[in-house]
Amino acid sequence: MLAGGPATAAQAADASPIASAATAATAATEATEAPAASAAELPPDGDTVASPPGANDWACRPSAAHPNPVVLVHGTFANRYENWLALSPELKRRGYCVFALDYGMVPGITSSGSGLLLPIGGLGPAADSAAQLGRFVDLVRGATGAAKVDIVGHSQGGMLPNYYVKFLGGAAKVDKVIGLAPSNHGTTLSGIANLAPYLPRVTELIYTACAACRDQVVDSAFNRRMATVADTVPGVAYTVIATVYDEVVTPYRTQFLSGPNVNNVVLQDRCPVSLAEHVAIAFSPTALHLVANALDPAHATPVFCS
C-alpha cells in the first residue's frame, strides 16, 4: 500500500551492492535495438518524473532469451524513479526490455516535482490506476511487438496487476505477475485502519487526498469486488515475495495468493537475517534475486543472503 519514498541509509546500504553494480552495467544488454518508436507510440509522462536507469527505452526490442518486456509498477506515495532505482538497471543488465509508468497522480495534491522534490503517485482510485496500467501495457506491447508482458509491482503496484488481469482483460496480455509486498487482500495498516470509525473527519480527509488508501483497507468495497472471483486466473504465473517485518501491508500473510499457479515466498525463509521491511524489500538484493528467478525460472540460481 504505502510504498514511501527512497530507502533510509540503512536500507540503501543493503541495496548498494546490486544498485551500484547494476547502474555501472546499465549499458550492457542482450536486447537488440531498433529505430526509435514514433511519437504517437510514446506514453504521456504526466508530471514528468524521470525514468529509473534502464527503463523506458522505446527503441528496445525483446531478445529471444527474454521475449516478454517487463513492466514495473510503483506503490502508493511513490513514483517510478524512486521505487525502481535498484531493480530497473539490474533487469536491463540481464537483457530485458524494461518499462516503468507513473499512475494515480491527483491534480492539486500531487506535486509537479523538480530536483529532489519528485511527484508522488498511486493516490487515485485503484480501479482507475489499474486501467492506466492496462493502457501502458498496450503501449509497451505496441512499441515492442511483444504478445505478452511480465509485471513486477511493489505494494499497491503488486496488487493492481491482479485487478487488471481479473477485470480488465489483462489475462490475455500478461504472462507473469510478481508482487513485492503486494496489498492483495487489503491491509489493517498495523491496526491503524481499525481506528477509522473513531476518527471520521481525519479519515475522510486522508481518503479524499488518497482514494487508493481507502481502497486498500481490509473489507473495502474495492477488496470486496476483488474477492468475488478467485485470486488467480489460468494462464498467468504469480509470485508473491513478502517480509515478516512488513509494517504497512498487515498481516503480512494476507499478501499471499491462493491457486495452483502461485509461488508465495517469505523473504526471511531465504535470508533469515534480512531486516528488510515494506519499503526496503524493493531494494533488498535477496528479494531482487528472487524477482529475477521468477522472471526466468528456467535459469534460476540459488538465492542466498546478500
Side-chain angles (χ1 to χ4, degrees), residues 52 55 70-74 80 84 87-89 91 98-102 133 136 150-153 157:
V70 179
V71 174
L72 304 178
V73 191
H74 66 74
R80 65 187 180 190
W84 302 117
L87 182 58
S88 178
L91 293 181
V98 184
F99 298 89
L101 77 157
D102 283 307
L133 170 61
F136 191 82
D150 295 332
I151 302 179
V152 181

Side-chain angles (χ1 to χ4, degrees), residues 22 26 59 68 75 96 100 124 133 197 204 230 239 251 267 274 278:
T26 296
N68 294 338
Y96 290 92
L133 170 61
E204 192 57 35
T239 301
L267 180 61
S274 175
H278 186 76

Side-chain angles (χ1 to χ4, degrees), residues 138-160:
D138 286 343
L139 287 167
V140 170
R141 292 173 62 244
T144 62
K148 292 187 175 184
V149 303
D150 295 332
I151 302 179
V152 181
H154 177 223
S155 195
Q156 181 188 173
M159 171 274 293
L160 289 177

Side-chain angles (χ1 to χ4, degrees), residues 155-156 158-162 166 177 179 181-187 216 222-223 226 231 238-240 249 254-257 264:
S155 195
Q156 181 188 173
M159 171 274 293
L160 289 177
N162 292 353
K166 286 181 179 183
V177 172
S183 53
N184 282 325
H185 300 104
T187 177
Q216 291 175 88
F222 178 86
N223 277 307
M226 288 282 277
D231 272 0
Y238 299 81
T239 301
V240 174
V249 180
T254 62
Q255 300 170 22
F256 294 156
L257 297 171
N264 293 313

Side-chain angles (χ1 to χ4, degrees), residues 51-65:
S51 297
N56 296 338
D57 174 7
W58 293 90
C60 187
R61 296 297 178 266
S63 65

Side-chain angles (χ1 to χ4, degrees), residues 138-259:
D138 286 343
L139 287 167
V140 170
R141 292 173 62 244
T144 62
K148 292 187 175 184
V149 303
D150 295 332
I151 302 179
V152 181
H154 177 223
S155 195
Q156 181 188 173
M159 171 274 293
L160 289 177
N162 292 353
Y163 188 95
Y164 168 56
V165 165
K166 286 181 179 183
F167 301 111
L168 301 179
K173 305 173 184 179
V174 176
D175 189 31
K176 304 178 192 74
V177 172
I178 302 167
L180 290 163
S183 53
N184 282 325
H185 300 104
T187 177
T188 67
L189 198 58
S190 295
I192 295 175
N194 297 332
L195 298 176
Y198 303 100
L199 301 167
R201 292 184 180 180
V202 174
T203 301
E204 192 57 35
L205 179 63
I206 294 172
Y207 290 165
T208 297
C210 178
C213 297
R214 182 199 301 270
D215 289 339
Q216 291 175 88
V217 171
V218 168
D219 201 37
S220 67
F222 178 86
N223 277 307
R224 289 196 297 273
R225 186 182 185 201
M226 288 282 277
T228 59
V229 296
D231 272 0
T232 64
V233 300
V236 179
Y238 299 81
T239 301
V240 174
I241 304 168
T243 169
V244 300
Y245 297 112
D246 201 313
E247 74 284 20
V248 176
V249 180
T250 57
Y252 77 90
R253 289 192 176 275
T254 62
Q255 300 170 22
F256 294 156
L257 297 171
S258 297

